[in-house]
Amino acid sequence: MIPYDFDYYQPTTIEQATSLYHSLRLDGRRPKFFSGGTEIITLGRLNKVYTDAVIDLKKIPEYNVVYSSEDRLIIGGGLSLVQIEEMNPFPLLAKTVSEIADHTARTKITVAGNICAQIFYREAVLPFLLADSLIVVAEYNGIKFYPIHQVFKECLCLNEGAFLLQVSTDQKLISAPFRTIKKRKQWNTGYPLITIAALKVENQIRIAISGLFPFPFRAFEMEKYLNNNQLSMEEKVNQAMEKIPSSVLDDVEGSSEYRLFVLKNTLVDILVELEKE
């Protein structure tokens, strides 16, 4: 049970949600937007998250859409990971989220909830980082579109009172060749050691990684070496690994040395597979 009381609101429009947050803050309240709710419930029980007003976004239609035009694919932040698996609008995304937690949890975890979570892994963001997607943000003064690399810097950095409404992705990248590999210390569920997602675009391999640091990231510097065809496979991976800072996670899931060992071998597997495409 969450050890504090809060008011619960369920707006049905974007304008209601953002205006409500603004008015609550003016009243000195501490509102939070609610999507799947797994993190508020889990961390609230541990007194690591506090709110006195929950704004549930799930009744907002634009928050729950999958819309495909000739140029763009729009995915609503309120879609659960299971819905993404079943609809499969973006194969790399569907494959990546299908290995997050277990099926029961994935029915509750939403795309926006995972991307904005406080946990280290947040694997749902990896495909969008690779596809240079646009983050569609609902703000008090309207809807804004931001390149993902502008607003996702270790976390999704939005203005207070704003929320991730949708993610917009170029259709040309949706069907690009991909690989995603999740390595765990043991068992088939639970937190990973390393997750690597890769997308091959115009014969160049893009790499995004989760589990190496306390945040997911696009490995721009590593990509330069992984795509250098003047190098052997071993040289590509070794030189890419040299671009990793020393502050690799070292915890109960795995030591930093073991994480780097797993990363190196997984990169080789991904390169071998994608170079066939």
Side-chain angles (χ1 to χ4, degrees):
M1 179 178 291
I2 297 176
Y4 51 80
D5 295 326
F6 55 85
D7 293 328
Y8 175 79
Y9 303 90
Q10 195 170 57
T12 57
T13 69
I14 298 167
E15 294 76 12
Q16 286 176 2
T18 54
S19 296
L20 179 59
Y21 188 102
H22 182 70
S23 63
L24 288 168
R25 287 295 291 137
L26 288 178
D27 289 340
R29 307 287 296 279
R30 296 170 64 181
K32 283 192 178 297
F33 291 119
F34 175 98
S35 185
T38 55
E39 187 160 275
I40 288 179
I41 294 169
T42 301
L43 298 183
R45 289 169 176 165
L46 300 173
N47 284 313
K48 292 184 177 181
V49 166
Y50 174 78
T51 178
D52 57 14
V54 167
I55 303 172
D56 188 344
L57 303 172
K58 294 194 296 294
K59 293 294 185 181
I60 298 174
E62 297 92 334
Y63 194 58
N64 296 287
V65 298
V66 172
Y67 172 72
S68 184
S69 70
E70 183 177 347
D71 300 322
R72 310 293 297 184
L73 170 70
I74 307 298
I75 293 178
L79 292 170
S80 74
L81 303 188
V82 165
Q83 287 176 301
I84 295 295
E85 288 180 71
E86 293 174 347
M87 289 187 283
N88 193 23
F90 182 178
L92 173 56
L93 177 64
K95 174 61 176 174
T96 302
V97 303
S98 72
E99 297 184 348
I100 294 174
D102 57 28
H103 185 273
T104 300
R106 291 196 300 275
T107 63
K108 301 295 184 183
I109 300 170
T110 62
V111 172
N114 185 260
I115 292 174
C116 299
Q118 294 184 35
I119 61 170
F120 293 162
Y121 304 99
R122 290 169 279 165
E123 296 104 308
V125 79
L126 300 179
F128 298 125
L129 291 172
L130 294 175
D132 297 331
S133 298
L134 295 175
I135 300 296
V136 185
V137 179
E139 300 185 351
Y140 182 59
N141 58 351
I143 304 298
K144 303 293 178 61
F145 293 77
Y146 296 102
I148 192 168
H149 301 296
Q150 179 181 326
V151 292
F152 193 91
K153 300 179 184 299
E154 301 186 8
C155 66
L156 190 62
C157 304
L158 304 180
N159 295 324
E160 184 179 3
F163 65 89
L164 190 167
L165 177 66
Q166 299 166 343
V167 185
S168 172
T169 303
D170 190 330
Q171 285 282 14
K172 294 192 295 291
L173 302 181
I174 296 301
S175 58
F178 72 90
R179 292 292 183 276
T180 180
I181 298 177
K182 183 169 188 169
K183 296 287 189 178
R184 296 182 177 88
K185 188 174 182 179
Q186 54 186 344
W187 305 303
N188 292 323
T189 59
Y191 291 128
L193 281 167
I194 294 288
T195 299
I196 303 179
L199 200 64
K200 191 171 185 180
V201 181
E202 297 178 350
N203 213 35
Q204 295 288 296
I205 296 172
R206 303 179 180 187
I207 296 288
I209 302 171
S210 170
L212 196 63
F213 305 127
F215 51 85
F217 68 102
R218 169 88 177 270
F220 287 105
E221 289 300 314
M222 296 177 72
E223 288 174 8
K224 295 176 184 177
Y225 296 95
L226 296 175
N227 287 295
N228 185 344
N229 291 326
Q230 302 302 312
L231 303 176
S232 67
M233 178 73 72
E234 182 178 5
E235 289 170 333
K236 288 180 181 181
V237 174
N238 286 340
Q239 293 190 30
M241 295 289 291
E242 291 177 3
K243 292 301 176 181
I244 298 172
S246 59
S247 53
V248 174
L249 282 174
D250 191 328
D251 56 23
V252 295
E253 301 297 334
S255 68
S256 57
E257 292 81 6
Y258 186 58
R259 276 187 160 89
L260 289 170
F261 170 79
V262 172
L263 173 66
K264 182 175 182 179
N265 286 282
T266 306
L267 283 173
V268 171
D269 292 341
I270 284 177
L271 290 183
V272 168
E273 289 299 314
L274 281 181
E275 287 185 354
K276 297 175 184 176
E277 298 284 351

